[in-house]
Amino acid sequence: MAVMKMTAAQVARKVIENKELFILDVRNKDSFEDWKIEGHSFDYLNIPYFDLLDGVDEILPKLPTDKDVLVVCAKEGSSLMVAEMVSEAGRDVFYLEGGMKSWSMYLEPIKVGDLTGGGELYQFVRLGKGCLSYMVISEGEAAIIDAVRFTEVFTNFAKEKNVDIKHVFDTHLHADHISGGRHIAEATGATYYLPPKDAEEVVFDYTPLEDGLTVNIGASQIEVGALYSPGHTIGSTSFIVDSKYLLTGDILFIDSIGRPDLAGLAADWVGDLRETLYHRYRELAEDLIVLPAHFMIIEELNEDGTVARRLGDLFIENHGLNIESDEEFRHTVTDNLPPQPNAYEQIRQVNMGKITPENDEQTEMEIGPNRCAVR
Amino acid sequence: MDVNQVLDAKGLACPMPIVRTKKAMDILESGQVLEVQATDKGALADLTAWSAAAGHTLLEHKEEADVLTFYIQKG
């Protein structure tokens, strides 16, 4: 029977459209438990490829015949080998082109909504890593917020939409993924903004992103306004777009809140995080739609694949916004934190411009989930 | 260390380092030692897990100039 290739883009459609898929993940057990392809209706079997060298007969009864079977490994080679064995045993089977490496890199642009005067807001969902980037488009101009490192995805999208990228923002100095912001700005002549309090060690020029800064996209009324909201990092800044959307960076997520420890100062920043979440955000309109820089679990995706929720709803539903005592809050965000993201210290160095690893190395550094939140 | 055979798997991508290692081990006698040289970074986790699962003993491994070297004793 046939061995067929499935691309990361095709897998992404299955996630977003809530389709069924059976994943035979042939990486070792630790890798699988640490990080896998998440889908609402996906089933899994994890058997390392090296346990299948003598044949796949033992696992054949466990592979369904009524849905697609996708063999997944780290880079592709092992999944292709196993897929060929499964195929020789008489089953149709897919393998994931480029493996988890390509899954980690794939970005799906999804329209979040229309803005005043014909503008549009897009969310770029990096399903494999849980990263979310944004592009605001209006009257031939664009602003990008929290771009991941695949700069061509953004520049090509801007070309497709026939807009010039004018402003590129990072809400904070990222620790879980490598920012593409500075490089997009260099390639397009856009202005690159970074919160100065996060940028004390950076070795490149940037424009300070200060509380109250506003820029207009296009000639119309679409305003992108900065709101200082420290806690995940000391410089963390949110954006309000068109008085309608609140881009929270890594401060507030749909089902969790930001962790304060990735820049090494959890104890110092707990108070800032509390102040931002329980006071600064409380003063905002509850009808704002929250658009975070990450999602952690697949349940945070809406039916159209976007990650977005009304602020007022999060005040009710998000556990991290409903902790009454300061003491319990401190305990929640400083004790029993999840493991830190892979290579997060190196990633910070890259984002400061201090080191410039080869592309392959950057890919390795970003392997794994983002882990920027506490629940 | 007494090495009975050396396998050069440098430059090979996953799954080939393990496929070759398994073939080489199949020919060795119990107690003999195979030295495996690989450059695929994934070989570390995979060879460690495979050795344990296959009943072999990973005696030692080291990394020098991007080359991973493993000494595996057949179980």
Side-chain angles (χ1 to χ4, degrees):
Chain A
M1 301 297 271
V3 173
M4 292 159 284
K5 177 172 79 182
M6 195 179 287
T7 63
Q10 289 169 315
V11 177
R13 290 322 304 173
K14 286 190 183 291
V15 175
I16 291 163
E17 288 162 13
N18 210 349
K19 295 274 171 56
E20 290 192 330
L21 184 65
F22 186 91
I23 293 182
L24 171 59
D25 195 317
V26 297
R27 294 173 300 152
N28 65 58
K29 197 163 159 271
D30 289 348
S31 301
F32 174 76
E33 281 172 6
D34 189 45
W35 177 54
K36 64 177 188 290
I37 299 178
E38 306 276 357
H40 303 280
S41 309
F42 290 5
D43 291 316
Y44 307 90
L45 176 64
N46 171 226
I47 307 268
Y49 68 93
F50 45 79
D51 290 345
L52 298 171
L53 296 177
D54 287 326
V56 294
D57 292 350
E58 271 178 47
I59 60 163
L60 282 182
K62 295 179 185 166
L63 302 181
T65 48
D66 58 346
K67 59 177 100 167
D68 289 345
V69 173
L70 175 69
V71 189
V72 171
C73 70
K75 287 174 189 160
E76 184 180 292
S78 304
S79 64
L80 186 55
M81 177 184 81
V82 172
E84 279 168 357
M85 294 165 86
V86 171
S87 155
E88 277 163 26
R91 300 287 192 92
D92 280 330
V93 65
F94 292 87
Y95 71 95
L96 176 60
E97 182 185 38
M100 289 301 282
K101 188 172 157 181
S102 75
W103 179 241
S104 167
M105 289 163 57
Y106 182 71
L107 281 185
E108 174 92 11
I110 306 176
K111 187 169 165 179
V112 177
D114 291 314
L115 304 173
T116 310
E120 296 174 305
L121 178 56
Y122 285 88
Q123 184 175 56
F124 290 70
V125 184
R126 187 176 174 189
L127 283 165
K129 180 88 188 153
C131 293
L132 303 167
S133 308
Y134 296 91
M135 193 183 291
V136 181
I137 288 175
S138 170
E139 296 181 357
E141 292 186 2
I144 299 176
I145 296 111
D146 287 333
V148 295
R149 69 186 167 88
F150 315 111
T151 56
E152 284 173 9
V153 175
F154 299 97
T155 51
N156 289 340
F157 192 79
K159 227 173 269 171
E160 227 173 83
K161 293 279 168 187
N162 208 12
V163 294
D164 292 329
I165 299 167
K166 293 286 185 186
H167 307 278
V168 180
F169 302 96
D170 269 321
T171 54
H172 62 288
L173 189 84
H174 297 283
D176 66 290
H177 67 273
I178 295 168
S179 168
R182 175 164 53 104
H183 305 290
I184 293 174
E186 277 166 11
T188 59
T191 309
Y192 177 54
Y193 304 81
L194 199 55
K197 286 182 179 169
D198 279 4
E200 283 173 3
E201 292 178 57
V202 306
V203 298
F204 47 81
D205 291 332
Y206 65 94
T207 302
L209 171 55
E210 310 266 16
D211 185 47
L213 176 106
T214 60
V215 298
N216 288 308
I217 314 301
S220 67
Q221 299 299 311
I222 296 192
E223 192 179 276
V224 175
L227 175 75
Y228 180 51
S229 53
H232 175 63
T233 63
I234 188 65
S236 289
T237 300
S238 306
F239 289 97
I240 294 175
V241 176
D242 200 24
S243 308
K244 199 170 164 190
Y245 295 98
L246 174 64
L247 276 59
T248 53
D250 283 9
I251 288 292
L252 173 62
F253 307 109
I254 303 303
D255 190 43
S256 55
I257 57 175
R259 62 192 287 174
D261 65 312
L262 294 182
L265 294 165
D268 291 10
W269 295 349
V270 173
D272 289 326
L273 186 62
R274 180 118 179 128
E275 172 70 22
T276 294
L277 292 175
Y278 285 76
H279 299 285
R280 291 218 93 173
Y281 278 3
R282 280 278 172 187
E283 291 163 12
L284 302 173
E286 294 204 342
D287 280 335
L288 286 170
I289 303 296
V290 169
L291 299 170
H294 288 299
F295 68 93
M296 261 54 65
I297 50 172
I298 198 74
E299 286 74 20
E300 290 175 284
L301 263 63
N302 296 329
E303 277 189 4
D304 61 357
T306 60
V307 179
R309 200 72 49 90
R310 194 177 155 271
L311 180 61
D313 293 347
L314 293 186
F315 283 139
I316 298 165
E317 295 163 8
N318 189 315
H319 168 75
L321 294 178
N322 287 285
I323 302 172
E324 289 211 357
S325 85
D326 288 351
E327 195 44 47
E328 197 195 329
F329 184 81
R330 175 175 297 277
H331 172 73
T332 303
V333 300
T334 56
D335 302 334
N336 306 317
L337 287 171
Q340 287 161 322
N342 188 36
Y344 75 103
E345 280 169 346
Q346 282 168 285
I347 289 174
R348 293 181 74 244
Q349 302 275 321
V350 178
N351 287 335
M352 291 179 201
K354 288 182 173 178
I355 53 173
T356 311
E358 296 290 319
N359 203 21
D360 280 356
E361 252 178 281
Q362 297 194 13
T363 305
E364 289 292 326
M365 288 161 79
E366 286 193 334
I367 289 294
N370 66 68
R371 295 197 181 119
C372 288
V374 283
R375 287 185 77 199
Chain B
M1 192 177 315
D2 268 349
V3 173
N4 299 87
Q5 201 189 329
V6 177
L7 171 68
D8 180 0
K10 294 197 291 290
L12 296 179
C14 186
M16 292 320 291
I18 289 214
V19 171
R20 296 272 175 92
T21 301
K22 181 178 184 297
K23 277 191 184 148
M25 288 300 264
D26 284 347
I27 308 166
L28 291 184
E29 305 278 327
S30 179
Q32 290 188 318
V33 175
L34 176 71
E35 175 181 331
V36 182
Q37 301 160 356
T39 47
D40 188 89
K41 288 270 189 320
L44 179 53
D46 290 357
L47 267 174
T48 305
W50 173 79
S51 297
H56 307 309
T57 310
L58 178 56
L59 300 172
E60 193 188 322
H61 71 84
K62 59 185 180 191
E63 182 172 359
E64 279 167 8
D66 289 335
V67 178
L68 294 157
T69 307
F70 302 86
Y71 299 94
I72 308 169
Q73 184 171 42
K74 180 156 176 168

